[in-house]
């Protein structure tokens, strides 16, 4: 499947201004990522993971307070060899990105229907602290969630000072109070349709500028072909 072109991705995601003149750097980052992934032995797949207890309105309750039941990916995706292979590739992407030390938390989400028939962003692979598994793709939830906002609009959200953003009246879904920067970027399939998002978070301010964003955009260009059907 053909990838979305770099210029089209930057335009569609709204990142053209932030990454003007970085097309060659992104192209090189994409090639490097593909080479690195090709050399990786397929990692083990995680079919379930712990999630925070959710409070009123579906927001995280107390930080570090986990729900009794883990989230079951198999119930949402179906458990078969093809899906397992896709999740293994996504896990390899996550592990590769973790080595950059750009972020303290990183997750890959796919747009799909959950067992209840709701269209959501479901977290397929990640590193970092436990976090919610699904983000509703509704206008109501988008009022408090960057993930849902990006999942609905296809426009990236880059916040390099969460404290200042909140002080200025910005809405923010807080699960980990240590997070001071966030970059949430859309994933588009070869038809230009929104297929999911990635979300990166850092415990420092000003974490997501040119070099860090180039690495994230490269991931966004490679990921759509790896997502489960």
């Amino acid at each position: 499947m053909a990838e979305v072109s770099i210029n089209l991705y930057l335009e569609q995601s709204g990142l053209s201004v932030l990454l003007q003149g970085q097309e060659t750097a992104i192209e090189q980052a994409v090639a490097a990522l593909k080479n690195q992934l090709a050399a990786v032995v397929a990692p083990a797949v995680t079919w379930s993971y712990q999630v925070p207890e959710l409070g009123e309105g579906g927001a995280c309750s107390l930080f570090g307070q986990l729900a009794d039941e883990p989230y079951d990916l198999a119930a949402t995706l179906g458990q078969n060899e093809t899906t397992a292979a896709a999740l293994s590739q996504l896990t390899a992407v996550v592990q590769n990105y973790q080595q950059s030390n750009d972020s303290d938390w990183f997750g890959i989400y796919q747009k799909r229907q959950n067992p209840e028939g709701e269209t959501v962003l479901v977290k397929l692979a990640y590193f970092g602290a436990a976090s919610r598994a699904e983000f509703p793709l509704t206008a109501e939830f988008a009022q408090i969630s960057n993930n849902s906002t990006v999942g609905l609009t296809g426009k990236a959200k880059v916040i390099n000072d969460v404290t200042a953003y909140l002080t200025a009246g910005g809405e923010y879904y807080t699960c980990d109070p240590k997070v001071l920067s966030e970059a949430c970027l859309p994933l588009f399939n070869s038809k230009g349709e929104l297929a999911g998002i990635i979300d990166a978070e850092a415990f420092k301010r000003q974490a997501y500028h040119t070099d860090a964003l180039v690495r994230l955009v490269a991931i966004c260009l490679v990921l759509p072909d790896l997502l489960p059907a």
Side-chain angles (χ1 to χ4, degrees), residues 71-93:
Y71 183 78
D72 182 15
L73 261 181
T76 299
L77 304 180
Q79 191 167 356
N80 55 59
E81 289 185 8
T82 302
T83 302
L87 289 180
S88 181
Q89 288 184 301
L90 298 184
T91 301
V93 172

Side-chain angles (χ1 to χ4, degrees), residues 14-72:
L15 289 170
S16 295
V17 173
L18 288 177
L19 291 175
Q20 187 174 12
Q22 296 299 316
E23 292 83 1
T24 299
I26 294 170
E27 185 177 10
Q28 292 170 345
V30 167
L33 177 57
K34 287 182 174 181
N35 288 336
Q36 290 158 5
L37 293 176
V40 169
V41 176
V45 171
T46 299
W47 286 102
S48 66
Y49 48 78
Q50 290 186 302
V51 292
E53 195 73 52
L54 298 182
E56 185 178 353
C60 287
S61 55
L62 298 177
F63 174 62
Q65 182 175 319
L66 300 178
D68 292 334
E69 294 294 325
Y71 183 78
D72 182 15

Side-chain angles (χ1 to χ4, degrees), residues 113-172:
Q113 286 196 327
N114 64 14
E116 289 72 44
E118 302 162 328
T119 302
V120 298
L121 293 169
V122 58
K123 186 175 67 181
L124 303 183
Y126 76 105
F127 71 77
S131 62
R132 75 177 292 135
E134 295 179 359
F135 282 85
L137 284 175
T138 64
E140 180 182 16
F141 204 82
Q143 292 178 4
I144 64 167
S145 166
N146 287 324
N147 285 12
S148 295
T149 297
V150 176
L152 286 173
T153 66
K155 299 298 183 183
K157 290 275 286 186
V158 179
I159 301 170
N160 272 306
D161 189 333
V162 170
T163 306
Y165 179 77
L166 290 171
T167 301
E171 295 288 350
Y172 194 78

